[in-house]
Amino acid sequence: MSFRSMGAADQRLLIAGAVVAITALISFVDPGGSWGGIMIVSVLAGLAAAYIAVQPQVAPTMRLPATKGLSLLVLGAAATAASVIALVSYVGYVFKNLADIYELIFLVGLVASIYLLWVGWQAYKAEGVASMAPPAPPAPPAA
C-alpha cells in the first residue's frame, strides 16, 4: 500500500478515519473517567472508514456490500452519533474541564467524525446524481 499513490480524497478519508479511531481509543484511558462503552462504535467506524480508503490497494478484487458513499455515510453517522451520545452523557464534565487535554482530544475526534459524516454525505449525493444521469444517446448507424 502506498499513501502517495492514493487520491487526495482517499488520503483525507484515511486520515479522518484514523483520527476518529485513535481519539476514541484515547477516550478509554482518560484518568478523569471513561467516555463510555459507546465509544467502541466510534473506534470501529473509524477503522472501517480507514479501510474503505485503502481497500482499492489492499484488496482490489473485493466488493463492498454497499456503495462507497452509502458505507461512508453510515459509518460517519455511527461515529458522530456515538460521540454526541458520549458528549451529552458527560456534559457537566465537558464544561467543567474544557482545558483538559483528554477533553480536547475527544472534541478533535468529534470534529473528525462530523467531517467523516460530511464526506459520506457528499459521496452519497454524488453516487445518486451519477445513477440518475440520462442514458447516452444511441450511436448513429454505420454507413
Side-chain angles (χ1 to χ4, degrees):
M1 183 189 90
S2 173
F3 186 75
R4 292 181 189 264
S5 66
M6 295 172 67
D10 284 336
Q11 288 177 350
R12 287 190 301 268
L13 178 61
L14 175 62
I15 292 169
V19 167
V20 168
I22 291 168
T23 57
L25 277 174
I26 291 173
S27 74
F28 287 110
V29 297
D30 185 354
S34 173
W35 285 92
I38 191 83
M39 292 306 291
I40 196 70
V41 174
S42 287
V43 172
L44 296 175
L47 290 174
Y51 178 76
I52 287 175
V54 299
Q55 184 264 334
Q57 291 183 359
V58 175
T61 59
M62 184 187 107
R63 286 187 32 90
L64 295 172
T67 63
K68 183 177 181 178
L70 181 61
S71 299
L72 291 175
L73 180 62
V74 169
L75 293 170
T80 303
S83 295
V84 167
I85 289 170
L87 180 69
V88 169
S89 299
Y90 298 100
V91 73
Y93 175 78
V94 171
F95 288 121
K96 196 169 18 172
N97 301 313
L98 219 52
D100 182 30
I101 186 68
Y102 290 100
E103 172 69 27
L104 296 174
I105 290 171
F106 173 79
L107 292 176
V108 166
L110 176 62
V111 169
S113 67
I114 292 170
Y115 175 75
L116 186 61
L117 176 63
W118 181 76
V119 167
W121 175 247
Q122 295 299 318
Y124 181 71
K125 279 190 347 186
E127 288 171 353
V129 169
S131 67
M132 295 180 64

